[in-house]
Amino acid sequence: MNTPRWTGWYLHLYAALVKLYPAEYTRAFADEMLWTVAEELEEAGGRTLWEQARLGLFELQGVLGGALREQILRFAPGKESAAMSMNPAAVNPVGGELLGGA
């Protein structure tokens, strides 16, 4: 498959934005998030530049919105974030491999 040329810098930007999530969320889900986005970008290689840009912007909106939501839920009384509602070690016992040990 023909991977978009901008994939490398985009994944670096995406990885930096994933670090905006609470630390426990990052440990539990960052590797999976980055792998999923990398796979989507690889599949987008055959699409038009416009479709690739739309996918990139959609994913950026998702990571920023998700980080904001999880940060807010950390301080909301009676609410649990996704990472706090489970044992992060059970989800990803190594955690943060793609982020350099977040």
Side-chain angles (χ1 to χ4, degrees):
M1 192 144 316
N2 189 17
T3 303
R5 291 182 296 179
W6 48 270
T7 299
W9 67 262
Y10 182 87
L11 288 175
H12 285 291
L13 172 63
Y14 191 89
L17 294 175
V18 167
K19 291 180 182 180
L20 296 174
Y21 281 83
E24 61 274 359
Y25 192 99
T26 302
R27 282 190 298 275
F29 302 111
D31 289 338
E32 183 179 350
M33 292 170 70
L34 291 168
W35 180 84
T36 301
V37 168
E39 288 291 311
E40 288 180 4
L41 292 176
E42 186 174 327
E43 291 175 11
R47 299 181 188 167
T48 67
L49 183 59
W50 173 247
E51 291 171 326
Q52 292 174 18
R54 284 182 45 201
L55 172 64
L57 291 173
F58 177 78
E59 291 297 335
L60 289 178
Q61 177 267 329
V63 74
L64 287 170
L68 178 60
R69 179 185 65 248
E70 291 298 320
Q71 290 290 357
I72 289 170
L73 287 175
R74 286 177 59 207
F75 301 105
K79 301 284 183 182
E80 282 192 38
S81 72
M84 297 301 286
S85 64
M86 63 180 67
N87 178 358
V91 176
N92 187 354
V94 178
E97 288 176 357
L98 294 176
L99 295 175

Coordinates of all heavy atoms in Angstrom, one line a residue:
M1 N 0.8 -1.2 0.0 CA 0.0 0.0 0.0 C 0.9 1.2 0.0 O 2.0 1.2 0.5 CB -0.9 0.0 1.2 CG -2.0 1.0 1.1 SD -3.6 0.6 1.8 CE -4.0 -1.0 1.3
N2 N 0.4 2.3 -0.6 CA 1.1 3.5 -0.7 C 0.9 4.5 0.5 O -0.1 5.1 0.6 CB 0.7 4.2 -2.0 CG 1.6 5.4 -2.4 OD1 2.7 5.5 -1.8 ND2 1.1 6.2 -3.3
T3 N 1.8 4.5 1.5 CA 1.6 5.3 2.7 C 1.8 6.8 2.3 O 2.8 7.1 1.6 CB 2.7 4.8 3.7 OG1 2.5 3.4 4.0 CG2 2.5 5.6 5.0
P4 N 1.0 7.6 2.9 CA 1.2 9.1 2.6 C 2.5 9.6 3.1 O 3.1 9.1 4.1 CB 0.0 9.7 3.4 CG -1.0 8.7 3.6 CD -0.2 7.4 3.7
R5 N 3.1 10.5 2.3 CA 4.4 11.1 2.6 C 4.5 11.8 4.0 O 5.5 11.8 4.6 CB 4.9 12.1 1.6 CG 5.1 11.4 0.2 CD 5.6 12.5 -0.7 NE 4.5 13.4 -1.0 CZ 4.6 14.4 -1.8 NH1 5.7 14.7 -2.4 NH2 3.6 15.2 -1.9
W6 N 3.4 12.3 4.4 CA 3.4 13.1 5.7 C 3.1 12.2 6.9 O 3.1 12.7 8.0 CB 2.3 14.2 5.6 CG 1.0 13.7 5.1 CD1 0.6 13.7 3.8 CD2 -0.1 13.2 5.9 NE1 -0.7 13.2 3.7 CE2 -1.1 12.9 5.0 CE3 -0.3 13.0 7.3 CZ2 -2.4 12.3 5.4 CZ3 -1.5 12.4 7.7 CH2 -2.5 12.1 6.8
T7 N 3.1 10.9 6.8 CA 2.8 10.0 7.9 C 3.8 10.2 9.0 O 3.4 10.2 10.2 CB 2.8 8.6 7.4 OG1 1.8 8.4 6.4 CG2 2.5 7.6 8.5
G8 N 5.1 10.3 8.8 CA 6.1 10.3 9.8 C 5.9 11.5 10.8 O 5.8 11.3 12.0
W9 N 5.8 12.7 10.2 CA 5.7 13.9 11.1 C 4.3 13.9 11.8 O 4.1 14.3 12.9 CB 6.0 15.2 10.4 CG 5.0 15.6 9.3 CD1 5.1 15.4 8.0 CD2 3.7 16.3 9.5 NE1 4.0 15.9 7.3 CE2 3.2 16.5 8.2 CE3 3.0 16.7 10.6 CZ2 1.9 17.1 8.0 CZ3 1.8 17.3 10.4 CH2 1.3 17.5 9.1
Y10 N 3.3 13.4 11.1 CA 1.9 13.3 11.6 C 1.9 12.4 12.9 O 1.3 12.7 13.9 CB 0.9 12.8 10.6 CG -0.5 12.8 11.1 CD1 -1.3 14.0 11.0 CD2 -1.0 11.7 11.7 CE1 -2.6 14.0 11.5 CE2 -2.3 11.7 12.2 CZ -3.1 12.8 12.1 OH -4.4 12.8 12.6
L11 N 2.6 11.2 12.8 CA 2.6 10.3 13.9 C 3.3 10.9 15.1 O 3.0 10.7 16.3 CB 3.2 9.0 13.5 CG 2.3 8.1 12.6 CD1 3.0 6.9 12.2 CD2 1.0 7.8 13.4
H12 N 4.4 11.7 14.8 CA 5.1 12.4 15.9 C 4.2 13.4 16.6 O 4.1 13.5 17.8 CB 6.4 13.1 15.4 CG 7.5 12.2 15.1 ND1 8.2 11.5 16.1 CD2 8.0 11.8 13.9 CE1 9.1 10.7 15.6 NE2 9.0 10.9 14.2
L13 N 3.4 14.2 15.8 CA 2.5 15.1 16.3 C 1.4 14.4 17.1 O 1.1 14.8 18.3 CB 1.8 16.0 15.2 CG 0.7 16.9 15.6 CD1 1.1 18.0 16.6 CD2 0.1 17.5 14.3
Y14 N 0.9 13.3 16.6 CA -0.2 12.6 17.3 C 0.3 12.0 18.6 O -0.4 12.1 19.6 CB -0.7 11.5 16.4 CG -2.0 10.8 16.9 CD1 -3.2 11.3 16.5 CD2 -1.9 9.7 17.7 CE1 -4.4 10.7 17.0 CE2 -3.1 9.1 18.1 CZ -4.3 9.6 17.8 OH -5.4 9.0 18.2
A15 N 1.5 11.5 18.6 CA 2.1 11.0 19.8 C 2.3 12.1 20.9 O 2.0 11.8 22.1 CB 3.5 10.3 19.6
A16 N 2.7 13.2 20.5 CA 2.8 14.4 21.4 C 1.4 14.7 22.0 O 1.3 15.0 23.2 CB 3.4 15.6 20.7
L17 N 0.4 14.7 21.1 CA -1.0 15.1 21.6 C -1.5 14.0 22.5 O -2.3 14.3 23.5 CB -1.9 15.3 20.4 CG -1.5 16.5 19.6 CD1 -2.5 16.6 18.4 CD2 -1.6 17.8 20.4
V18 N -1.2 12.7 22.3 CA -1.6 11.7 23.2 C -1.1 11.9 24.6 O -1.8 11.6 25.6 CB -1.2 10.3 22.7 CG1 -1.3 9.2 23.7 CG2 -2.0 9.9 21.4
K19 N 0.0 12.5 24.8 CA 0.6 12.8 26.1 C -0.2 13.9 26.9 O 0.0 14.1 28.0 CB 2.1 13.3 25.9 CG 3.0 12.2 25.5 CD 4.4 12.7 25.4 CE 5.3 11.6 24.8 NZ 6.7 12.1 24.7
L20 N -1.2 14.5 26.2 CA -2.1 15.4 26.9 C -3.1 14.7 27.8 O -3.7 15.3 28.6 CB -2.8 16.3 25.9 CG -1.9 17.3 25.1 CD1 -2.8 18.0 24.0 CD2 -1.2 18.3 26.0
Y21 N -3.3 13.4 27.5 CA -4.2 12.6 28.3 C -3.6 12.4 29.7 O -2.4 12.5 29.9 CB -4.4 11.2 27.7 CG -5.3 11.2 26.6 CD1 -4.9 11.5 25.3 CD2 -6.7 10.7 26.8 CE1 -5.8 11.4 24.2 CE2 -7.5 10.7 25.7 CZ -7.1 11.0 24.4 OH -8.0 10.9 23.4
P22 N -4.4 12.1 30.7 CA -3.8 11.8 32.1 C -2.8 10.6 31.9 O -3.0 9.8 31.1 CB -5.1 11.4 32.9 CG -6.2 12.0 32.2 CD -5.9 12.1 30.7
A23 N -1.9 10.6 32.8 CA -0.8 9.6 32.7 C -1.3 8.2 32.8 O -0.8 7.4 32.0 CB 0.2 9.9 33.9
E24 N -2.3 7.9 33.6 CA -2.8 6.5 33.7 C -3.5 6.1 32.4 O -3.4 5.0 32.0 CB -3.8 6.4 34.9 CG -5.0 7.2 34.9 CD -4.8 8.6 35.5 OE1 -3.7 8.9 35.9 OE2 -5.8 9.4 35.5
Y25 N -4.2 7.1 31.7 CA -4.8 6.8 30.4 C -3.7 6.5 29.4 O -3.8 5.6 28.6 CB -5.7 8.0 30.0 CG -6.6 7.7 28.9 CD1 -7.9 7.4 29.1 CD2 -6.1 7.7 27.6 CE1 -8.7 7.1 28.0 CE2 -6.9 7.5 26.5 CZ -8.2 7.2 26.7 OH -9.1 6.9 25.7
T26 N -2.7 7.4 29.4 CA -1.6 7.2 28.4 C -0.9 5.9 28.6 O -0.7 5.2 27.6 CB -0.6 8.3 28.6 OG1 -1.2 9.6 28.4 CG2 0.5 8.2 27.6
R27 N -0.7 5.5 29.8 CA 0.0 4.1 30.0 C -0.9 3.0 29.5 O -0.4 2.0 29.0 CB 0.3 3.9 31.5 CG 1.5 4.6 32.0 CD 1.9 4.2 33.4 NE 0.8 4.5 34.4 CZ 0.7 5.7 35.0 NH1 1.5 6.7 34.8 NH2 -0.3 5.9 35.9
A28 N -2.2 3.2 29.7 CA -3.1 2.1 29.3 C -3.4 2.0 27.8 O -3.6 0.9 27.3 CB -4.5 2.2 30.1
F29 N -3.5 3.2 27.2 CA -4.1 3.2 25.8 C -3.2 3.8 24.7 O -3.5 3.7 23.6 CB -5.4 3.9 25.8 CG -6.4 3.4 26.7 CD1 -6.8 4.1 27.9 CD2 -7.0 2.1 26.5 CE1 -7.8 3.6 28.7 CE2 -8.0 1.6 27.4 CZ -8.3 2.3 28.5
A30 N -2.1 4.4 25.0 CA -1.3 5.1 24.0 C -0.8 4.2 22.9 O -0.9 4.6 21.7 CB -0.1 5.8 24.7
D31 N -0.3 3.1 23.2 CA 0.3 2.2 22.2 C -0.8 1.8 21.2 O -0.6 1.8 20.0 CB 0.9 0.9 22.8 CG 2.2 1.2 23.5 OD1 2.8 2.2 23.2 OD2 2.6 0.4 24.4
E32 N -2.0 1.4 21.7 CA -3.1 1.0 20.9 C -3.6 2.2 20.0 O -3.9 2.0 18.8 CB -4.2 0.5 21.7 CG -5.4 0.0 20.9 CD -6.5 -0.6 21.7 OE1 -6.4 -0.8 23.0 OE2 -7.6 -0.8 21.2
M33 N -3.6 3.4 20.6 CA -4.1 4.6 19.9 C -3.1 4.9 18.7 O -3.5 5.1 17.6 CB -4.2 5.8 20.8 CG -5.3 5.7 21.8 SD -5.2 7.0 23.0 CE -5.6 8.4 22.1
L34 N -1.8 4.8 19.0 CA -0.8 5.1 18.0 C -0.8 4.0 16.9 O -0.7 4.3 15.7 CB 0.6 5.3 18.6 CG 0.7 6.5 19.4 CD1 2.0 6.4 20.2 CD2 0.7 7.7 18.6
W35 N -0.9 2.8 17.3 CA -1.0 1.7 16.3 C -2.2 1.8 15.4 O -2.1 1.7 14.1 CB -1.0 0.3 17.0 CG -1.1 -0.8 16.0 CD1 0.0 -1.4 15.4 CD2 -2.2 -1.5 15.6 NE1 -0.5 -2.4 14.6 CE2 -1.8 -2.5 14.7 CE3 -3.6 -1.3 15.9 CZ2 -2.7 -3.3 14.1 CZ3 -4.5 -2.2 15.2 CH2 -4.0 -3.2 14.3
T36 N -3.4 2.2 15.9 CA -4.6 2.3 15.2 C -4.4 3.5 14.2 O -4.8 3.3 13.0 CB -5.8 2.6 16.1 OG1 -5.9 1.5 17.0 CG2 -7.1 2.8 15.3
V37 N -3.9 4.6 14.6 CA -3.8 5.7 13.7 C -2.8 5.4 12.6 O -3.0 5.7 11.4 CB -3.3 7.0 14.4 CG1 -2.9 8.1 13.5 CG2 -4.5 7.5 15.3
A38 N -1.7 4.7 12.9 CA -0.7 4.3 11.9 C -1.3 3.4 10.9 O -1.1 3.5 9.7 CB 0.5 3.7 12.6
E39 N -2.1 2.5 11.3 CA -2.8 1.6 10.4 C -3.8 2.3 9.5 O -3.9 2.1 8.3 CB -3.6 0.5 11.1 CG -2.7 -0.5 11.8 CD -2.0 -1.4 10.8 OE1 -2.7 -2.0 9.9 OE2 -0.8 -1.6 10.9
E40 N -4.5 3.3 10.0 CA -5.5 4.1 9.2 C -4.7 4.9 8.2 O -5.2 5.0 7.1 CB -6.3 5.0 10.1 CG -7.3 4.2 10.9 CD -8.1 5.1 11.8 OE1 -8.0 6.4 11.8 OE2 -9.0 4.6 12.6
L41 N -3.6 5.5 8.6 CA -2.8 6.2 7.6 C -2.3 5.4 6.5 O -2.2 5.8 5.3 CB -1.7 7.0 8.3 CG -2.1 8.1 9.3 CD1 -0.9 8.7 10.0 CD2 -2.9 9.2 8.6
E42 N -1.9 4.2 6.8 CA -1.4 3.3 5.8 C -2.5 2.9 4.8 O -2.3 2.9 3.6 CB -0.8 2.0 6.4 CG -0.1 1.1 5.4 CD 0.5 -0.1 6.1 OE1 1.0 0.0 7.2 OE2 0.6 -1.2 5.4
E43 N -3.7 2.7 5.3 CA -4.8 2.4 4.5 C -5.2 3.6 3.6 O -5.8 3.4 2.6 CB -6.0 1.9 5.3 CG -5.7 0.5 5.9 CD -6.9 0.1 6.9 OE1 -7.9 0.8 6.9 OE2 -6.7 -0.9 7.6
A44 N -5.0 4.8 4.1 CA -5.3 6.0 3.4 C -4.4 6.3 2.3 O -4.7 7.2 1.5 CB -5.4 7.2 4.4
G45 N -3.3 5.6 2.1 CA -2.4 5.9 1.1 C -3.0 5.9 -0.3 O -2.5 6.6 -1.2
G46 N -4.0 5.1 -0.6 CA -4.6 5.0 -1.9 C -5.7 6.0 -2.2 O -6.2 6.1 -3.2
R47 N -5.9 6.8 -1.2 CA -7.0 7.8 -1.3 C -6.5 9.2 -1.8 O -5.3 9.4 -1.9 CB -7.7 8.1 0.1 CG -8.3 6.9 0.6 CD -8.9 7.2 2.0 NE -9.4 5.9 2.6 CZ -9.7 5.9 3.9 NH1 -9.7 7.0 4.6 NH2 -10.2 4.8 4.4
T48 N -7.4 10.1 -2.2 CA -6.9 11.4 -2.6 C -6.3 12.2 -1.5 O -6.6 11.9 -0.3 CB -8.1 12.2 -3.2 OG1 -9.0 12.5 -2.1 CG2 -8.9 11.4 -4.3
L49 N -5.6 13.2 -1.8 CA -5.0 14.0 -0.8 C -6.0 14.7 0.1 O -5.8 14.8 1.3 CB -4.1 15.1 -1.5 CG -3.3 16.0 -0.5 CD1 -2.4 15.2 0.4 CD2 -2.5 17.1 -1.3
W50 N -7.1 15.1 -0.5 CA -8.2 15.7 0.3 C -8.8 14.7 1.3 O -9.0 15.0 2.5 CB -9.4 16.1 -0.6 CG -10.6 16.6 0.1 CD1 -11.8 16.0 0.1 CD2 -10.7 17.7 1.0 NE1 -12.7 16.7 0.9 CE2 -12.0 17.7 1.4 CE3 -9.8 18.7 1.4 CZ2 -12.5 18.7 2.3 CZ3 -10.3 19.7 2.2 CH2 -11.6 19.7 2.7
E51 N -9.0 13.4 0.9 CA -9.5 12.4 1.8 C -8.4 12.1 2.9 O -8.8 11.9 4.1 CB -9.8 11.1 1.1 CG -11.0 11.2 0.2 CD -11.2 10.0 -0.7 OE1 -10.2 9.4 -1.1 OE2 -12.4 9.7 -1.0
Q52 N -7.2 12.1 2.6 CA -6.1 11.9 3.6 C -6.1 13.1 4.6 O -6.0 12.8 5.8 CB -4.7 11.8 2.9 CG -4.6 10.6 2.1 CD -3.3 10.6 1.3 OE1 -2.3 11.4 1.6 NE2 -3.1 9.8 0.3
A53 N -6.3 14.3 4.1 CA -6.3 15.5 5.0 C -7.5 15.4 5.9 O -7.4 15.7 7.1 CB -6.3 16.7 4.2
R54 N -8.6 15.0 5.4 CA -9.8 14.9 6.2 C -9.6 13.9 7.3 O -10.0 14.1 8.5 CB -11.1 14.5 5.4 CG -11.6 15.7 4.6 CD -12.8 15.3 3.8 NE -13.8 14.6 4.6 CZ -14.7 13.8 4.0 NH1 -14.8 13.7 2.7 NH2 -15.6 13.1 4.8
L55 N -9.0 12.7 7.0 CA -8.7 11.7 8.0 C -7.8 12.2 9.0 O -8.0 12.1 10.2 CB -8.1 10.5 7.3 CG -7.6 9.4 8.3 CD1 -8.7 8.8 9.1 CD2 -6.8 8.3 7.5
G56 N -6.7 12.9 8.6 CA -5.8 13.5 9.6 C -6.4 14.5 10.5 O -6.2 14.4 11.7
L57 N -7.2 15.4 10.0 CA -7.9 16.4 10.8 C -8.9 15.7 11.7 O -9.0 16.1 12.9 CB -8.6 17.4 9.9 CG -7.6 18.3 9.2 CD1 -8.4 19.2 8.2 CD2 -6.8 19.2 10.2
F58 N -9.6 14.7 11.3 CA -10.6 14.0 12.1 C -9.9 13.3 13.3 O -10.3 13.4 14.4 CB -11.3 12.9 11.3 CG -12.2 12.1 12.1 CD1 -13.5 12.5 12.4 CD2 -11.9 10.8 12.4 CE1 -14.4 11.8 13.2 CE2 -12.8 10.0 13.2 CZ -14.0 10.5 13.5
E59 N -8.7 12.7 13.0 CA -8.0 12.0 14.1 C -7.4 13.0 15.1 O -7.4 12.8 16.3 CB -6.9 11.2 13.5 CG -7.4 9.9 12.8 CD -8.2 9.0 13.7 OE1 -8.0 9.0 14.9 OE2 -9.0 8.2 13.2
L60 N -6.9 14.2 14.6 CA -6.5 15.3 15.5 C -7.6 15.8 16.4 O -7.4 16.0 17.6 CB -5.8 16.4 14.7 CG -4.5 16.1 14.1 CD1 -4.0 17.3 13.3 CD2 -3.4 15.6 15.1
Q61 N -8.7 16.0 15.8 CA -9.9 16.4 16.6 C -10.2 15.4 17.7 O -10.5 15.8 18.8 CB -11.1 16.7 15.7 CG -12.4 17.1 16.4 CD -13.3 15.9 16.7 OE1 -13.3 14.9 16.0 NE2 -14.0 16.0 17.7
G62 N -10.2 14.1 17.3 CA -10.5 13.1 18.3 C -9.5 13.0 19.4 O -9.9 12.9 20.6
V63 N -8.2 13.1 19.1 CA -7.3 13.0 20.2 C -7.3 14.2 21.1 O -7.2 14.1 22.3 CB -5.8 12.7 19.6 CG1 -5.2 14.0 19.0 CG2 -4.9 12.2 20.7
L64 N -7.5 15.4 20.6 CA -7.6 16.6 21.4 C -8.9 16.6 22.2 O -8.9 16.9 23.4 CB -7.6 17.8 20.5 CG -6.2 18.2 20.0 CD1 -6.3 19.3 18.9 CD2 -5.2 18.6 21.1
G65 N -10.0 16.2 21.6 CA -11.3 16.1 22.3 C -11.3 15.1 23.4 O -11.7 15.3 24.5
G66 N -10.7 13.9 23.1 CA -10.6 12.9 24.1 C -9.7 13.2 25.3 O -10.0 12.9 26.4
A67 N -8.6 13.9 25.0 CA -7.7 14.3 26.1 C -8.4 15.3 27.0 O -8.3 15.2 28.2 CB -6.4 15.0 25.5
L68 N -9.1 16.3 26.4 CA -9.8 17.3 27.2 C -10.9 16.6 28.0 O -11.0 16.8 29.2 CB -10.5 18.3 26.3 CG -11.3 19.4 27.0 CD1 -10.5 20.2 27.9 CD2 -12.0 20.3 25.9
R69 N -11.6 15.6 27.5 CA -12.7 14.9 28.2 C -12.1 14.1 29.4 O -12.6 14.2 30.5 CB -13.4 14.0 27.3 CG -14.5 13.2 28.0 CD -15.1 12.1 27.1 NE -14.2 11.1 26.7 CZ -13.7 10.9 25.4 NH1 -14.1 11.7 24.4 NH2 -12.8 10.0 25.2
E70 N -11.0 13.4 29.1 CA -10.4 12.6 30.2 C -9.8 13.5 31.3 O -9.8 13.2 32.5 CB -9.3 11.7 29.6 CG -9.9 10.6 28.8 CD -10.8 9.6 29.6 OE1 -10.5 9.3 30.7 OE2 -11.8 9.2 29.0
Q71 N -9.2 14.7 30.9 CA -8.7 15.6 32.0 C -9.8 16.1 32.8 O -9.7 16.3 34.0 CB -7.9 16.7 31.3 CG -6.6 16.3 30.7 CD -5.6 15.9 31.7 OE1 -5.8 16.0 32.9 NE2 -4.4 15.5 31.3
I72 N -11.0 16.5 32.2 CA -12.1 17.0 32.9 C -12.7 15.9 33.8 O -13.0 16.2 35.0 CB -13.2 17.5 32.0 CG1 -12.7 18.8 31.3 CG2 -14.5 17.8 32.7 CD1 -13.6 19.3 30.2
L73 N -12.8 14.7 33.4 CA -13.3 13.6 34.2 C -12.5 13.3 35.4 O -13.0 12.8 36.4 CB -13.5 12.3 33.3 CG -14.7 12.4 32.3 CD1 -14.7 11.1 31.5 CD2 -16.0 12.6 33.0
R74 N -11.2 13.6 35.3 CA -10.3 13.4 36.5 C -10.8 14.2 37.7 O -10.6 13.8 38.8 CB -8.9 13.8 36.2 CG -8.2 12.9 35.3 CD -6.8 13.4 34.9 NE -6.0 13.5 36.1 CZ -5.0 14.4 36.3 NH1 -4.6 15.1 35.3 NH2 -4.3 14.4 37.4
F75 N -11.4 15.3 37.5 CA -11.8 16.2 38.5 C -13.3 16.3 38.8 O -13.8 17.0 39.6 CB -11.3 17.6 38.3 CG -9.8 17.6 38.1 CD1 -9.2 17.7 36.9 CD2 -9.0 17.5 39.3 CE1 -7.8 17.7 36.8 CE2 -7.6 17.4 39.2 CZ -7.0 17.6 37.9
A76 N -14.1 15.6 38.0 CA -15.6 15.6 38.1 C -16.0 14.7 39.2 O -15.6 13.5 39.2 CB -16.2 15.2 36.8
P77 N -16.7 15.2 40.2 CA -17.1 14.3 41.3 C -18.1 13.2 40.9 O -19.0 13.5 40.1 CB -17.8 15.3 42.3 CG -18.0 16.5 41.5 CD -17.1 16.5 40.4
G78 N -17.8 12.0 41.3 CA -18.6 10.9 40.9 C -18.5 10.3 39.5 O -19.2 9.4 39.1
K79 N -17.5 10.9 38.8 CA -17.3 10.4 37.4 C -16.0 9.7 37.3 O -15.0 10.1 38.0 CB -17.4 11.5 36.4 CG -18.6 12.3 36.4 CD -19.7 11.5 35.6 CE -21.0 12.4 35.6 NZ -22.0 11.7 34.9
E80 N -15.9 8.7 36.5 CA -14.6 8.0 36.3 C -14.2 8.1 34.8 O -15.0 8.0 33.9 CB -14.7 6.6 36.6 CG -14.6 6.3 38.1 CD -14.4 4.8 38.4 OE1 -13.7 4.2 37.7 OE2 -15.1 4.4 39.4
S81 N -12.9 8.4 34.6 CA -12.4 8.3 33.2 C -12.3 6.9 32.7 O -12.4 6.0 33.6 CB -11.1 9.0 33.1 OG -10.1 8.2 33.7
A82 N -12.1 6.7 31.5 CA -12.0 5.3 30.9 C -10.8 4.6 31.6 O -11.0 3.4 32.0 CB -11.8 5.4 29.4
A83 N -9.7 5.2 31.8 CA -8.6 4.5 32.4 C -8.8 4.3 33.9 O -8.3 3.3 34.5 CB -7.3 5.4 32.3
M84 N -9.5 5.1 34.6 CA -9.7 4.9 36.0 C -10.8 3.8 36.3 O -10.8 3.3 37.4 CB -10.2 6.3 36.7 CG -9.1 7.4 36.6 SD -7.6 6.9 37.4 CE -8.1 7.1 39.1
S85 N -11.6 3.5 35.3 CA -12.6 2.5 35.5 C -12.1 1.1 35.3 O -12.9 0.2 35.5 CB -13.8 2.8 34.6 OG -13.4 2.6 33.3
M86 N -10.8 1.0 35.0 CA -10.3 -0.4 34.8 C -8.8 -0.4 35.3 O -8.3 0.7 35.6 CB -10.3 -0.8 33.4 CG -9.5 0.1 32.4 SD -9.5 -0.4 30.7 CE -11.2 -0.1 30.3
N87 N -8.3 -1.5 35.4 CA -6.9 -1.6 35.8 C -6.0 -1.5 34.6 O -6.0 -2.3 33.7 CB -6.6 -3.0 36.5 CG -5.2 -3.2 36.9 OD1 -4.4 -2.4 36.7 ND2 -4.9 -4.4 37.5
P88 N -5.3 -0.3 34.4 CA -4.5 -0.1 33.2 C -3.4 -1.2 33.0 O -3.1 -1.5 31.9 CB -3.8 1.2 33.5 CG -4.6 1.9 34.5 CD -5.3 0.8 35.3
A89 N -2.9 -1.8 34.1 CA -1.9 -2.9 33.9 C -2.5 -4.1 33.2 O -1.9 -4.8 32.5 CB -1.4 -3.3 35.3
A90 N -3.8 -4.3 33.4 CA -4.5 -5.4 32.7 C -4.7 -5.1 31.2 O -4.7 -6.0 30.4 CB -5.8 -5.7 33.4
V91 N -4.8 -3.9 30.9 CA -5.0 -3.5 29.5 C -3.7 -3.5 28.7 O -3.6 -4.0 27.6 CB -5.6 -2.1 29.4 CG1 -5.7 -1.6 27.9 CG2 -7.0 -2.0 30.1
N92 N -2.7 -3.0 29.3 CA -1.4 -2.9 28.7 C -0.3 -2.9 29.7 O 0.2 -1.9 30.2 CB -1.3 -1.6 27.8 CG 0.0 -1.5 27.0 OD1 0.9 -2.4 27.1 ND2 0.1 -0.5 26.2
P93 N 0.2 -4.1 30.1 CA 1.1 -4.3 31.2 C 2.5 -3.6 30.9 O 3.1 -3.2 31.9 CB 1.3 -5.8 31.3 CG 0.8 -6.4 30.1 CD -0.2 -5.4 29.5
V94 N 2.9 -3.4 29.7 CA 4.1 -2.8 29.4 C 3.9 -1.3 29.4 O 4.7 -0.5 30.0 CB 4.7 -3.2 28.0 CG1 6.0 -2.5 27.7 CG2 4.9 -4.7 28.1
G95 N 2.9 -0.8 28.8 CA 2.5 0.6 28.8 C 3.5 1.6 28.2 O 4.7 1.6 28.6
G96 N 3.1 2.5 27.3 CA 3.9 3.6 26.9 C 5.1 3.2 26.0 O 6.0 4.0 25.8
E97 N 5.1 2.0 25.4 CA 6.3 1.6 24.6 C 6.5 2.6 23.5 O 7.7 3.0 23.2 CB 6.1 0.3 24.0 CG 6.2 -0.8 25.0 CD 5.9 -2.2 24.4 OE1 5.5 -2.3 23.2 OE2 6.0 -3.2 25.2
L98 N 5.5 3.0 22.7 CA 5.7 3.9 21.6 C 6.0 5.3 22.0 O 6.4 6.1 21.2 CB 4.5 3.9 20.7 CG 4.2 2.5 20.0 CD1 3.0 2.5 19.2 CD2 5.4 2.2 19.1
L99 N 5.7 5.7 23.2 CA 5.9 7.0 23.7 C 7.2 7.1 24.5 O 7.4 8.1 25.2 CB 4.7 7.5 24.6 CG 3.4 7.6 23.9 CD1 2.3 8.0 24.8 CD2 3.5 8.7 22.8
G100 N 8.0 6.1 24.5 CA 9.2 6.2 25.3 C 9.1 6.0 26.8 O 9.7 6.7 27.5
G101 N 8.1 5.2 27.2 CA 7.9 5.0 28.6 C 7.2 6.1 29.3 O 7.5 6.5 30.4
A102 N 6.1 6.6 28.7 CA 5.4 7.7 29.2 C 5.3 7.7 30.7 O 5.0 7.6 31.6 CB 3.9 7.7 28.6

